[in-house]
Amino acid sequence: MKIIQLFLLSFISILLLSCSAQKKKPENKTVYQSETLVITQVTPNVYQHTSFLQTTSFGNVPCNGMIVHNNNETVVFDTPVNDEISEELIQWIQNSLKSKINAVVPTHFHDDCLGGLNAFHKHHIPSIANSKTIEIAKAKNLPVPLKSFDNQEKIAVGNQFAELYFFGEGHTKDNIVAYYPNEKVLFGGCLIKELNATKGNLEDANETAWANTATKLKANITDTKVVIPGHGAIGNTDLIDYTIKLFIQK
């Protein structure tokens, strides 16, 4: 009798574990990979796209962006590093997510944010960026986003909204962040560092303001669960705290 009871208890436990596994939300699951582009599912409707930028100082650098998907609509934050890889991303969104791209949002003026902007414009996809980004892009003869905002903006994606914020200077004078409150995912872009990262490219940085800008972000977006940095591994709000510590003025 005891053997039968033990067997039944074991069987029930296995069933419960199986059901629990099926209900678990997908986290950091690679859903697409080529030689040039990796797409990772971060939450049920948020994906990270990663392309690779060959640099003189830092070698072949993986560069992250974000895709938010809702009701067959998406918004893309940062383009891949060039037009060819951006076209690859656009095709994946259209074919795999069966989704219309409402907008693309470069989070600052460097190539890992707007290097593939012309591919999106070729598909008549609207682009929006900080007014400072547009100003710099024009001055440097870079691809220019079509619409501007100053400090805060919302973009519709399905029946939800993604939020854009400029909290101040840091990695660049124009760096913004994007937040998807429905799934509590923050795309910190290059303003936010992965854990244990170095300071990285400081060519256009404001090191004096950086920690204060990250502190403002933390104070204003308080319910973040997932943080995607511009480069490196996904984490939580520890990435914001690490960034503040890395750049705090002593």
Side-chain angles (χ1 to χ4, degrees), residues 53 55 58 61-64 78 106-114 130 132-133 136 140 166-177 187-194 197-214 217 229-231 243 246-247:
L53 182 67
T55 68
F58 300 98
V61 178
C63 307
N64 300 329
D78 284 351
T107 61
H108 65 278
F109 72 90
H110 287 163
D111 283 346
D112 53 352
C113 299
L114 54 66
N130 186 350
K132 296 176 188 291
T133 302
I136 296 168
K140 292 182 176 290
F166 174 70
F167 290 117
E169 298 184 11
H171 175 67
T172 58
K173 68 187 293 185
D174 61 323
N175 49 209
I176 64 170
V177 300
F187 179 54
C190 293
L191 178 69
I192 299 301
K193 295 290 184 178
E194 71 168 331
T198 63
K199 290 185 176 181
N201 176 17
L202 299 175
E203 184 178 352
D204 299 301
N206 184 338
E207 289 187 73
T208 304
W210 201 320
N212 187 51
T213 299
L217 185 165
H231 306 280
T243 301
L246 184 64
F247 286 100

Short mmCIF file of all heavy atoms in Angstrom, two decimals, residues 53 55 58 61-64 78 106-114 130 132-133 136 140 166-177 187-194 197-214 217 229-231 243 246-247:
data_model
loop_
_atom_site.label_atom_id
_atom_site.label_comp_id
_atom_site.label_asym_id
_atom_site.label_seq_id
_atom_site.Cartn_x
_atom_site.Cartn_y
_atom_site.Cartn_z
N LEU A 53 29.34 45.18 -34.30
CA LEU A 53 30.03 46.33 -34.88
C LEU A 53 31.53 46.15 -34.73
O LEU A 53 32.04 46.02 -33.61
CB LEU A 53 29.58 47.62 -34.17
CG LEU A 53 30.17 48.93 -34.69
CD1 LEU A 53 29.67 49.21 -36.10
CD2 LEU A 53 29.79 50.08 -33.76
N THR A 55 35.05 47.45 -34.39
CA THR A 55 35.65 48.71 -33.95
C THR A 55 37.16 48.57 -33.83
O THR A 55 37.68 47.46 -33.64
CB THR A 55 35.08 49.16 -32.59
OG1 THR A 55 35.52 48.24 -31.57
CG2 THR A 55 33.56 49.21 -32.61
N PHE A 58 37.75 48.37 -29.56
CA PHE A 58 37.12 47.33 -28.74
C PHE A 58 36.86 46.03 -29.49
O PHE A 58 36.20 45.13 -28.95
CB PHE A 58 35.81 47.87 -28.15
CG PHE A 58 35.99 49.09 -27.28
CD1 PHE A 58 35.78 50.36 -27.80
CD2 PHE A 58 36.40 48.97 -25.96
CE1 PHE A 58 35.95 51.49 -27.01
CE2 PHE A 58 36.58 50.09 -25.16
CZ PHE A 58 36.37 51.35 -25.68
N VAL A 61 32.13 44.25 -31.49
CA VAL A 61 31.30 44.52 -30.32
C VAL A 61 29.84 44.12 -30.58
O VAL A 61 29.23 44.60 -31.54
CB VAL A 61 31.36 46.02 -29.96
CG1 VAL A 61 30.45 46.32 -28.76
CG2 VAL A 61 32.79 46.45 -29.68
N PRO A 62 29.25 43.26 -29.71
CA PRO A 62 27.82 42.98 -29.83
C PRO A 62 27.00 44.17 -29.37
O PRO A 62 27.25 44.73 -28.30
CB PRO A 62 27.63 41.76 -28.91
CG PRO A 62 28.77 41.79 -27.96
CD PRO A 62 29.90 42.47 -28.66
N CYS A 63 26.02 44.56 -30.17
CA CYS A 63 25.21 45.76 -29.91
C CYS A 63 23.73 45.38 -29.80
O CYS A 63 23.17 44.81 -30.73
CB CYS A 63 25.39 46.77 -31.03
SG CYS A 63 27.13 47.18 -31.37
N ASN A 64 23.13 45.72 -28.68
CA ASN A 64 21.74 45.33 -28.40
C ASN A 64 20.74 46.40 -28.80
O ASN A 64 21.01 47.60 -28.70
CB ASN A 64 21.54 45.05 -26.91
CG ASN A 64 22.42 43.93 -26.40
OD1 ASN A 64 22.76 43.00 -27.13
ND2 ASN A 64 22.80 44.00 -25.13
N ASP A 78 16.55 51.13 -31.49
CA ASP A 78 17.87 51.04 -32.11
C ASP A 78 17.84 50.11 -33.31
O ASP A 78 17.25 49.03 -33.27
CB ASP A 78 18.96 50.61 -31.13
CG ASP A 78 19.37 51.74 -30.20
OD1 ASP A 78 18.93 52.88 -30.42
OD2 ASP A 78 20.12 51.48 -29.25
N PRO A 106 15.96 55.34 -32.71
CA PRO A 106 17.38 55.35 -32.35
C PRO A 106 17.56 56.06 -31.00
O PRO A 106 17.06 57.17 -30.81
CB PRO A 106 18.04 56.16 -33.47
CG PRO A 106 17.00 56.28 -34.55
CD PRO A 106 15.68 56.23 -33.85
N THR A 107 18.27 55.42 -30.07
CA THR A 107 18.40 56.00 -28.73
C THR A 107 19.57 56.97 -28.59
O THR A 107 19.67 57.65 -27.57
CB THR A 107 18.49 54.91 -27.65
OG1 THR A 107 19.65 54.10 -27.89
CG2 THR A 107 17.24 54.04 -27.64
N HIS A 108 20.48 57.01 -29.56
CA HIS A 108 21.45 58.10 -29.71
C HIS A 108 22.05 58.03 -31.10
O HIS A 108 21.61 57.21 -31.92
CB HIS A 108 22.51 58.10 -28.60
CG HIS A 108 23.42 56.92 -28.56
ND1 HIS A 108 23.08 55.72 -27.97
CD2 HIS A 108 24.68 56.73 -29.04
CE1 HIS A 108 24.09 54.86 -28.07
NE2 HIS A 108 25.07 55.46 -28.73
N PHE A 109 23.03 58.85 -31.40
CA PHE A 109 23.42 59.05 -32.79
C PHE A 109 24.49 58.08 -33.30
O PHE A 109 24.82 58.11 -34.49
CB PHE A 109 23.91 60.50 -32.99
CG PHE A 109 25.25 60.81 -32.38
CD1 PHE A 109 26.43 60.64 -33.11
CD2 PHE A 109 25.35 61.28 -31.08
CE1 PHE A 109 27.67 60.93 -32.55
CE2 PHE A 109 26.58 61.58 -30.51
CZ PHE A 109 27.74 61.40 -31.25
N HIS A 110 25.05 57.22 -32.46
CA HIS A 110 26.12 56.32 -32.92
C HIS A 110 25.58 55.25 -33.88
O HIS A 110 24.38 54.98 -33.93
CB HIS A 110 26.78 55.64 -31.72
CG HIS A 110 27.65 56.56 -30.93
ND1 HIS A 110 28.08 56.28 -29.64
CD2 HIS A 110 28.21 57.77 -31.24
CE1 HIS A 110 28.84 57.27 -29.19
NE2 HIS A 110 28.93 58.18 -30.15
N ASP A 111 26.52 54.61 -34.61
CA ASP A 111 26.14 53.62 -35.63
C ASP A 111 25.37 52.43 -35.07
O ASP A 111 24.57 51.82 -35.78
CB ASP A 111 27.40 53.08 -36.34
CG ASP A 111 27.96 54.07 -37.35
OD1 ASP A 111 27.25 55.04 -37.68
OD2 ASP A 111 29.10 53.87 -37.80
N ASP A 112 25.61 52.09 -33.80
CA ASP A 112 24.89 50.94 -33.22
C ASP A 112 23.46 51.29 -32.84
O ASP A 112 22.74 50.46 -32.29
CB ASP A 112 25.64 50.37 -32.01
CG ASP A 112 25.98 51.40 -30.95
OD1 ASP A 112 25.78 52.61 -31.20
OD2 ASP A 112 26.48 51.02 -29.88
N CYS A 113 23.05 52.51 -33.19
CA CYS A 113 21.66 52.94 -32.91
C CYS A 113 20.91 53.35 -34.18
O CYS A 113 19.72 53.09 -34.29
CB CYS A 113 21.65 54.11 -31.93
SG CYS A 113 22.38 53.73 -30.34
N LEU A 114 21.61 54.03 -35.09
CA LEU A 114 20.93 54.48 -36.31
C LEU A 114 21.66 54.09 -37.59
O LEU A 114 21.33 54.56 -38.68
CB LEU A 114 20.63 55.98 -36.28
CG LEU A 114 21.70 57.02 -36.02
CD1 LEU A 114 22.73 57.10 -37.13
CD2 LEU A 114 21.05 58.40 -35.86
N ASN A 130 15.21 61.70 -30.07
CA ASN A 130 15.44 62.93 -29.33
C ASN A 130 15.85 64.04 -30.30
O ASN A 130 16.60 63.80 -31.25
CB ASN A 130 16.58 62.65 -28.32
CG ASN A 130 16.84 63.81 -27.37
OD1 ASN A 130 16.33 64.90 -27.54
ND2 ASN A 130 17.66 63.54 -26.37
N LYS A 132 17.92 66.25 -29.93
CA LYS A 132 19.38 66.38 -29.93
C LYS A 132 20.01 65.38 -30.90
O LYS A 132 21.02 65.67 -31.55
CB LYS A 132 19.94 66.16 -28.52
CG LYS A 132 19.49 67.19 -27.50
CD LYS A 132 20.01 66.84 -26.11
CE LYS A 132 19.42 67.74 -25.03
NZ LYS A 132 19.92 69.13 -25.15
N THR A 133 19.42 64.17 -30.99
CA THR A 133 19.92 63.15 -31.92
C THR A 133 19.78 63.64 -33.36
O THR A 133 20.70 63.48 -34.18
CB THR A 133 19.17 61.83 -31.73
OG1 THR A 133 19.31 61.39 -30.38
CG2 THR A 133 19.69 60.75 -32.66
N ILE A 136 22.40 66.34 -34.11
CA ILE A 136 23.75 65.78 -34.31
C ILE A 136 23.82 65.02 -35.63
O ILE A 136 24.81 65.13 -36.37
CB ILE A 136 24.14 64.87 -33.13
CG1 ILE A 136 24.22 65.68 -31.84
CG2 ILE A 136 25.45 64.16 -33.40
CD1 ILE A 136 24.33 64.83 -30.58
N LYS A 140 26.49 65.76 -38.64
CA LYS A 140 27.50 64.76 -38.99
C LYS A 140 27.17 64.03 -40.30
O LYS A 140 27.84 63.06 -40.66
CB LYS A 140 27.63 63.74 -37.85
CG LYS A 140 28.25 64.31 -36.58
CD LYS A 140 28.41 63.23 -35.51
CE LYS A 140 29.12 63.78 -34.30
NZ LYS A 140 30.56 64.06 -34.56
N PHE A 166 14.24 61.18 -21.94
CA PHE A 166 15.57 61.77 -21.89
C PHE A 166 15.78 62.31 -20.48
O PHE A 166 15.10 63.24 -20.05
CB PHE A 166 15.72 62.90 -22.92
CG PHE A 166 17.03 63.64 -22.81
CD1 PHE A 166 18.22 63.03 -23.17
CD2 PHE A 166 17.07 64.95 -22.34
CE1 PHE A 166 19.43 63.71 -23.06
CE2 PHE A 166 18.27 65.64 -22.25
CZ PHE A 166 19.45 65.02 -22.60
N PHE A 167 16.73 61.70 -19.75
CA PHE A 167 16.98 62.11 -18.37
C PHE A 167 18.25 62.95 -18.22
O PHE A 167 18.53 63.44 -17.13
CB PHE A 167 17.10 60.88 -17.46
CG PHE A 167 15.79 60.16 -17.25
CD1 PHE A 167 15.61 58.86 -17.67
CD2 PHE A 167 14.72 60.80 -16.62
CE1 PHE A 167 14.40 58.20 -17.47
CE2 PHE A 167 13.51 60.15 -16.42
CZ PHE A 167 13.35 58.85 -16.84
N GLY A 168 19.00 63.10 -19.30
CA GLY A 168 20.24 63.88 -19.23
C GLY A 168 21.36 63.19 -19.98
O GLY A 168 21.20 62.12 -20.56
N GLU A 169 22.52 63.82 -19.96
CA GLU A 169 23.67 63.32 -20.70
C GLU A 169 24.36 62.17 -19.96
O GLU A 169 24.21 62.01 -18.75
CB GLU A 169 24.66 64.46 -20.95
CG GLU A 169 24.07 65.58 -21.78
CD GLU A 169 25.07 66.67 -22.12
OE1 GLU A 169 26.29 66.46 -21.90
OE2 GLU A 169 24.64 67.73 -22.62
N GLY A 170 25.12 61.38 -20.73
CA GLY A 170 25.87 60.27 -20.15
C GLY A 170 26.83 59.72 -21.18
O GLY A 170 27.89 60.30 -21.43
N HIS A 171 26.44 58.61 -21.80
CA HIS A 171 27.26 58.04 -22.88
C HIS A 171 27.41 59.04 -24.02
O HIS A 171 28.47 59.14 -24.63
CB HIS A 171 26.61 56.75 -23.37
CG HIS A 171 27.27 56.14 -24.55
ND1 HIS A 171 28.54 55.59 -24.50
CD2 HIS A 171 26.86 55.98 -25.84
CE1 HIS A 171 28.88 55.13 -25.68
NE2 HIS A 171 27.88 55.36 -26.52
N THR A 172 26.34 59.76 -24.30
CA THR A 172 26.35 60.88 -25.25
C THR A 172 25.45 61.98 -24.70
O THR A 172 24.74 61.79 -23.70
CB THR A 172 25.83 60.45 -26.64
OG1 THR A 172 24.49 59.94 -26.48
CG2 THR A 172 26.71 59.38 -27.27
N LYS A 173 25.42 63.09 -25.39
CA LYS A 173 24.58 64.21 -24.93
C LYS A 173 23.11 64.00 -25.27
O LYS A 173 22.24 64.71 -24.77
CB LYS A 173 25.08 65.53 -25.53
CG LYS A 173 24.90 65.65 -27.04
CD LYS A 173 25.57 66.91 -27.59
CE LYS A 173 24.87 68.16 -27.10
NZ LYS A 173 25.46 69.39 -27.73
N ASP A 174 22.82 62.98 -26.13
CA ASP A 174 21.46 62.79 -26.61
C ASP A 174 20.83 61.46 -26.18
O ASP A 174 19.72 61.16 -26.59
CB ASP A 174 21.42 62.88 -28.14
CG ASP A 174 22.26 61.80 -28.82
OD1 ASP A 174 23.34 61.47 -28.28
OD2 ASP A 174 21.86 61.28 -29.87
N ASN A 175 21.54 60.68 -25.34
CA ASN A 175 21.07 59.32 -25.05
C ASN A 175 19.73 59.28 -24.31
O ASN A 175 19.51 59.97 -23.33
CB ASN A 175 22.11 58.51 -24.29
CG ASN A 175 22.71 59.18 -23.07
OD1 ASN A 175 23.85 58.92 -22.71
ND2 ASN A 175 21.95 60.06 -22.41
N ILE A 176 18.81 58.46 -24.86
CA ILE A 176 17.51 58.27 -24.23
C ILE A 176 17.38 56.80 -23.80
O ILE A 176 18.20 55.96 -24.15
CB ILE A 176 16.35 58.64 -25.17
CG1 ILE A 176 16.31 57.70 -26.39
CG2 ILE A 176 16.45 60.10 -25.60
CD1 ILE A 176 15.05 57.83 -27.24
N VAL A 177 16.32 56.53 -23.03
CA VAL A 177 15.98 55.15 -22.67
C VAL A 177 14.54 54.90 -23.08
O VAL A 177 13.76 55.84 -23.30
CB VAL A 177 16.16 54.88 -21.16
CG1 VAL A 177 17.60 55.13 -20.74
CG2 VAL A 177 15.19 55.72 -20.33
N PHE A 187 14.81 49.35 -21.75
CA PHE A 187 15.97 49.34 -22.64
C PHE A 187 16.81 50.56 -22.27
O PHE A 187 16.46 51.69 -22.58
CB PHE A 187 15.55 49.39 -24.10
CG PHE A 187 16.72 49.41 -25.06
CD1 PHE A 187 17.70 48.43 -24.98
CD2 PHE A 187 16.84 50.41 -26.00
CE1 PHE A 187 18.79 48.45 -25.85
CE2 PHE A 187 17.92 50.44 -26.88
CZ PHE A 187 18.90 49.45 -26.79
N GLY A 188 17.92 50.30 -21.58
CA GLY A 188 18.77 51.39 -21.12
C GLY A 188 19.70 51.92 -22.19
O GLY A 188 20.28 52.99 -22.04
N GLY A 189 19.83 51.16 -23.31
CA GLY A 189 20.77 51.56 -24.34
C GLY A 189 22.17 51.71 -23.75
O GLY A 189 22.50 51.11 -22.72
N CYS A 190 22.98 52.53 -24.38
CA CYS A 190 24.37 52.67 -23.94
C CYS A 190 24.52 53.54 -22.70
O CYS A 190 25.64 53.70 -22.19
CB CYS A 190 25.22 53.22 -25.08
SG CYS A 190 25.37 52.05 -26.45
N LEU A 191 23.42 54.10 -22.21
CA LEU A 191 23.48 54.80 -20.92
C LEU A 191 23.71 53.81 -19.79
O LEU A 191 24.36 54.14 -18.78
CB LEU A 191 22.17 55.57 -20.68
CG LEU A 191 22.07 56.30 -19.34
CD1 LEU A 191 23.04 57.47 -19.28
CD2 LEU A 191 20.64 56.77 -19.08
N ILE A 192 23.20 52.58 -19.94
CA ILE A 192 23.28 51.58 -18.87
C ILE A 192 24.26 50.48 -19.24
O ILE A 192 24.21 49.92 -20.34
CB ILE A 192 21.88 50.99 -18.58
CG1 ILE A 192 20.93 52.10 -18.13
CG2 ILE A 192 21.97 49.90 -17.53
CD1 ILE A 192 21.37 52.87 -16.88
N LYS A 193 25.15 50.16 -18.30
CA LYS A 193 26.19 49.17 -18.51
C LYS A 193 25.77 47.80 -17.97
O LYS A 193 25.03 47.71 -16.99
CB LYS A 193 27.46 49.60 -17.77
CG LYS A 193 28.09 50.88 -18.31
CD LYS A 193 28.70 50.64 -19.67
CE LYS A 193 29.41 51.85 -20.21
NZ LYS A 193 30.04 51.58 -21.51
N GLU A 194 26.28 46.75 -18.62
CA GLU A 194 26.10 45.42 -18.04
C GLU A 194 26.97 45.31 -16.79
O GLU A 194 27.91 46.09 -16.59
CB GLU A 194 26.47 44.32 -19.04
CG GLU A 194 27.95 44.20 -19.33
CD GLU A 194 28.31 42.95 -20.09
OE1 GLU A 194 27.62 41.92 -19.94
OE2 GLU A 194 29.31 42.99 -20.83
N ALA A 197 31.05 45.69 -16.43
CA ALA A 197 31.58 46.31 -17.65
C ALA A 197 32.56 47.43 -17.30
O ALA A 197 32.53 48.00 -16.20
CB ALA A 197 30.44 46.87 -18.49
N THR A 198 33.43 47.74 -18.25
CA THR A 198 34.27 48.93 -18.11
C THR A 198 33.46 50.15 -18.58
O THR A 198 32.32 50.01 -19.03
CB THR A 198 35.54 48.81 -18.97
OG1 THR A 198 35.15 48.73 -20.35
CG2 THR A 198 36.32 47.55 -18.59
N LYS A 199 34.07 51.31 -18.53
CA LYS A 199 33.37 52.52 -18.95
C LYS A 199 33.14 52.56 -20.46
O LYS A 199 32.26 53.26 -20.94
CB LYS A 199 34.15 53.76 -18.50
CG LYS A 199 34.10 53.97 -16.99
CD LYS A 199 34.78 55.27 -16.60
CE LYS A 199 34.64 55.53 -15.10
NZ LYS A 199 35.26 56.81 -14.68
N GLY A 200 33.94 51.80 -21.21
CA GLY A 200 33.71 51.69 -22.65
C GLY A 200 34.09 52.94 -23.43
O GLY A 200 34.98 53.70 -23.03
N ASN A 201 33.39 53.18 -24.52
CA ASN A 201 33.67 54.29 -25.42
C ASN A 201 33.24 55.61 -24.77
O ASN A 201 32.05 55.85 -24.56
CB ASN A 201 32.93 54.07 -26.74
CG ASN A 201 33.09 55.24 -27.70
OD1 ASN A 201 33.98 56.07 -27.54
ND2 ASN A 201 32.23 55.30 -28.70
N LEU A 202 34.21 56.47 -24.49
CA LEU A 202 33.92 57.75 -23.82
C LEU A 202 34.13 58.94 -24.75
O LEU A 202 34.13 60.08 -24.29
CB LEU A 202 34.81 57.89 -22.58
CG LEU A 202 34.65 56.82 -21.51
CD1 LEU A 202 35.68 57.01 -20.40
CD2 LEU A 202 33.24 56.83 -20.93
N GLU A 203 34.27 58.67 -26.05
CA GLU A 203 34.59 59.73 -27.01
C GLU A 203 33.59 60.87 -26.98
O GLU A 203 33.96 62.05 -27.07
CB GLU A 203 34.66 59.14 -28.42
CG GLU A 203 35.08 60.13 -29.48
CD GLU A 203 35.17 59.50 -30.86
OE1 GLU A 203 35.06 58.25 -30.97
OE2 GLU A 203 35.35 60.25 -31.84
N ASP A 204 32.31 60.55 -26.84
CA ASP A 204 31.26 61.59 -26.83
C ASP A 204 30.55 61.67 -25.47
O ASP A 204 29.44 62.20 -25.38
CB ASP A 204 30.23 61.27 -27.92
CG ASP A 204 30.85 61.25 -29.30
OD1 ASP A 204 31.40 62.29 -29.71
OD2 ASP A 204 30.81 60.19 -29.96
N ALA A 205 31.20 61.14 -24.44
CA ALA A 205 30.54 61.00 -23.13
C ALA A 205 30.63 62.26 -22.27
O ALA A 205 31.52 63.09 -22.45
CB ALA A 205 31.15 59.82 -22.37
N ASN A 206 29.71 62.34 -21.34
CA ASN A 206 29.77 63.34 -20.26
C ASN A 206 29.87 62.54 -18.96
O ASN A 206 28.85 62.19 -18.35
CB ASN A 206 28.53 64.23 -20.27
CG ASN A 206 28.60 65.33 -19.23
OD1 ASN A 206 29.32 65.24 -18.25
ND2 ASN A 206 27.82 66.39 -19.44
N GLU A 207 31.10 62.22 -18.56
CA GLU A 207 31.29 61.39 -17.37
C GLU A 207 30.80 62.07 -16.10
O GLU A 207 30.35 61.41 -15.17
CB GLU A 207 32.77 61.03 -17.22
CG GLU A 207 33.28 60.05 -18.25
CD GLU A 207 34.69 59.59 -17.94
OE1 GLU A 207 34.86 58.80 -16.99
OE2 GLU A 207 35.62 60.05 -18.65
N THR A 208 30.88 63.38 -16.07
CA THR A 208 30.45 64.12 -14.87
C THR A 208 28.95 63.98 -14.64
O THR A 208 28.49 63.85 -13.50
CB THR A 208 30.82 65.61 -15.02
OG1 THR A 208 32.22 65.73 -15.26
CG2 THR A 208 30.45 66.38 -13.77
N ALA A 209 28.18 63.97 -15.72
CA ALA A 209 26.71 63.92 -15.60
C ALA A 209 26.17 62.50 -15.55
O ALA A 209 25.01 62.30 -15.14
CB ALA A 209 26.08 64.65 -16.79
N TRP A 210 26.94 61.51 -15.96
CA TRP A 210 26.44 60.15 -16.22
C TRP A 210 25.72 59.55 -15.01
O TRP A 210 24.59 59.06 -15.11
CB TRP A 210 27.59 59.26 -16.66
CG TRP A 210 27.21 58.01 -17.41
CD1 TRP A 210 26.15 57.19 -17.16
CD2 TRP A 210 27.90 57.44 -18.53
NE1 TRP A 210 26.13 56.14 -18.04
CE2 TRP A 210 27.20 56.27 -18.90
CE3 TRP A 210 29.03 57.80 -19.25
CZ2 TRP A 210 27.61 55.45 -19.95
CZ3 TRP A 210 29.44 56.99 -20.31
CH2 TRP A 210 28.73 55.82 -20.65
N ALA A 211 26.37 59.55 -13.85
CA ALA A 211 25.77 58.93 -12.66
C ALA A 211 24.48 59.63 -12.26
O ALA A 211 23.49 58.98 -11.87
CB ALA A 211 26.76 58.96 -11.49
N ASN A 212 24.46 60.96 -12.38
CA ASN A 212 23.26 61.72 -12.03
C ASN A 212 22.10 61.39 -12.97
O ASN A 212 20.95 61.26 -12.55
CB ASN A 212 23.56 63.22 -12.07
CG ASN A 212 22.40 64.05 -11.55
OD1 ASN A 212 21.88 63.80 -10.47
ND2 ASN A 212 22.00 65.05 -12.33
N THR A 213 22.41 61.22 -14.26
CA THR A 213 21.39 60.85 -15.24
C THR A 213 20.81 59.47 -14.93
O THR A 213 19.58 59.28 -14.96
CB THR A 213 21.98 60.87 -16.66
OG1 THR A 213 22.44 62.19 -16.96
CG2 THR A 213 20.95 60.46 -17.69
N ALA A 214 21.68 58.51 -14.61
CA ALA A 214 21.21 57.17 -14.26
C ALA A 214 20.40 57.18 -12.96
O ALA A 214 19.44 56.42 -12.81
CB ALA A 214 22.40 56.22 -14.14
N LEU A 217 16.94 58.32 -13.80
CA LEU A 217 16.22 57.21 -14.41
C LEU A 217 15.64 56.30 -13.32
O LEU A 217 14.46 55.95 -13.34
CB LEU A 217 17.18 56.42 -15.31
CG LEU A 217 16.66 55.25 -16.15
CD1 LEU A 217 17.68 54.89 -17.21
CD2 LEU A 217 16.33 54.01 -15.34
N PRO A 229 20.86 46.31 -21.48
CA PRO A 229 21.87 47.34 -21.71
C PRO A 229 22.20 47.46 -23.20
O PRO A 229 21.84 46.58 -24.00
CB PRO A 229 23.08 46.80 -20.93
CG PRO A 229 22.95 45.30 -21.06
CD PRO A 229 21.45 45.02 -21.07
N GLY A 230 22.89 48.50 -23.57
CA GLY A 230 23.28 48.67 -24.97
C GLY A 230 24.24 47.61 -25.45
O GLY A 230 24.25 47.24 -26.62
N HIS A 231 25.05 47.09 -24.53
CA HIS A 231 26.00 46.03 -24.85
C HIS A 231 26.04 45.04 -23.68
O HIS A 231 26.00 45.46 -22.53
CB HIS A 231 27.41 46.61 -25.07
CG HIS A 231 27.47 47.68 -26.09
ND1 HIS A 231 27.48 47.43 -27.45
CD2 HIS A 231 27.49 49.04 -25.96
CE1 HIS A 231 27.53 48.58 -28.10
NE2 HIS A 231 27.53 49.58 -27.23
N THR A 243 25.90 51.03 -12.90
CA THR A 243 26.25 52.17 -13.74
C THR A 243 26.47 53.41 -12.89
O THR A 243 27.43 54.16 -13.10
CB THR A 243 25.16 52.42 -14.80
OG1 THR A 243 25.01 51.26 -15.60
CG2 THR A 243 25.51 53.62 -15.67
N LEU A 246 29.74 53.05 -11.12
CA LEU A 246 30.88 53.14 -12.04
C LEU A 246 31.25 54.57 -12.36
O LEU A 246 32.44 54.91 -12.51
CB LEU A 246 30.54 52.38 -13.34
CG LEU A 246 31.62 52.25 -14.41
CD1 LEU A 246 32.81 51.43 -13.89
CD2 LEU A 246 31.04 51.62 -15.67
N PHE A 247 30.22 55.44 -12.44
CA PHE A 247 30.49 56.82 -12.90
C PHE A 247 30.34 57.88 -11.81
O PHE A 247 30.50 59.07 -12.11
CB PHE A 247 29.56 57.15 -14.06
CG PHE A 247 29.94 56.46 -15.34
CD1 PHE A 247 29.28 55.31 -15.75
CD2 PHE A 247 30.99 56.93 -16.11
CE1 PHE A 247 29.63 54.66 -16.91
CE2 PHE A 247 31.35 56.28 -17.29
CZ PHE A 247 30.67 55.14 -17.70
#
